[in-house]
């Protein structure tokens, strides 16, 4: 059974580049599996890249404001979870 831990919240979505702006409450790194959930959002994917202030990074810590490329539309207020195990 997969375990989910809430790690942040979507604060912005940039449709033209398919990037979600996320405020992190816990650390996240490239390769982690995340799930984004909201009123009309249900998305699960592996994090392919993370940017902070337009700079690519391998990991981000609690308190960072990050951008990640997402496969589907997200909305402000959507909750972001890290998925671990099976």
């Amino acid at each position: 059974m997969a375990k989910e831990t809430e790690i942040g919240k979507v604060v912005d979505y940039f449709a033209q580049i398919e990037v979600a702006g996320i405020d992190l409450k816990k650390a996240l790194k490239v390769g982690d599996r995340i799930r984004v959930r909201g009123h009309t959002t249900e998305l699960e994917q592996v994090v392919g890249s993370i940017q902070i202030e337009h700079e690519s990074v391998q990991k981000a810590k609690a308190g960072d404001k990050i951008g990640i490329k997402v496969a589907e539309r997200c909305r402000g207020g959507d909750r972001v979870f890290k998925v671990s195990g099976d």
Side-chain angles (χ1 to χ4, degrees), residues 14-74:
F14 305 95
Q16 66 280 14
I17 54 174
E18 298 176 323
V19 167
I22 299 170
D23 274 350
L24 282 184
K25 291 196 285 190
K26 295 189 188 285
L28 181 69
K29 65 183 185 304
V30 172
D32 285 345
R33 177 168 285 282
I34 60 165
R35 179 169 285 149
V36 182
R37 276 211 185 107
H39 187 61
T40 57
T41 308
E42 182 64 46
L43 158 69
E44 186 171 326
Q45 72 175 54
V46 172
V47 177
S49 65
I50 300 173
Q51 285 197 342
I52 300 174
E53 299 289 331
H54 305 287
E55 294 289 323
S56 290
V57 297
Q58 287 300 302
K59 56 188 173 191
K61 62 188 183 315
D64 285 344
K65 294 182 184 330
I66 66 167
I68 63 168
K69 192 124 173 103
V70 288
E72 296 172 30
R73 181 176 193 87
C74 298

